[in-house]
Amino acid sequence: RDVSAENRGYDLLCMRGSQVLHVEVKGVSGGKTCFPMTKNERRMWAKDRQYKVLVVRHALTNPSCKMFRDARKFEFRPLSYIPALCESR
């Protein structure tokens, strides 16, 4: 079931019998497994044992999927920063 509009930190709620998976889907145009991830998605991946990331490589040409369970296999790099003015300074 698509739950992406519910801000849960994942896109799909997948259930079969008693098995439940929380799946975040990421599409990339090339073959590298490198994709942006929100702070909420990263937090969920770190704490939710049912959380999986499904990466669709070559998403626009010849799609192939790979599921990842362990966030420790990835290096996380900052993508951007949001500066906020400190009013007390």
Side-chain angles (χ1 to χ4, degrees):
R1 176 168 71 98
D2 183 353
V3 296
S4 57
E6 299 176 20
N7 197 30
R8 295 182 182 204
Y10 54 91
D11 296 319
L12 303 173
L13 176 60
C14 302
M15 297 178 284
R16 180 184 286 168
S18 63
Q19 185 179 12
V20 176
L21 293 178
H22 302 146
V23 180
E24 176 61 28
V25 180
K26 297 293 185 183
V28 296
S29 59
K32 286 189 174 183
T33 305
C34 183
F35 48 87
M37 178 172 260
T38 68
K39 184 177 179 180
N40 190 34
E41 291 165 351
R42 185 175 179 193
R43 181 181 57 81
M44 290 300 297
W45 200 2
K47 75 172 194 169
D48 183 350
R49 298 184 75 172
Q50 283 92 19
Y51 197 93
K52 312 293 180 238
V53 174
L54 177 69
V55 178
V56 182
R57 289 182 253 193
H58 303 285
L60 302 175
T61 55
N62 186 23
S64 65
C65 298
K66 176 137 175 117
M67 185 87 73
F68 295 94
R69 300 168 193 243
D70 190 354
R72 294 174 295 181
K73 292 183 177 186
F74 289 83
E75 174 188 353
F76 290 87
R77 297 182 218 142
L79 180 62
S80 63
Y81 297 89
I82 301 173
L85 181 63
C86 298
E87 297 296 332
S88 62
R89 293 185 187 175

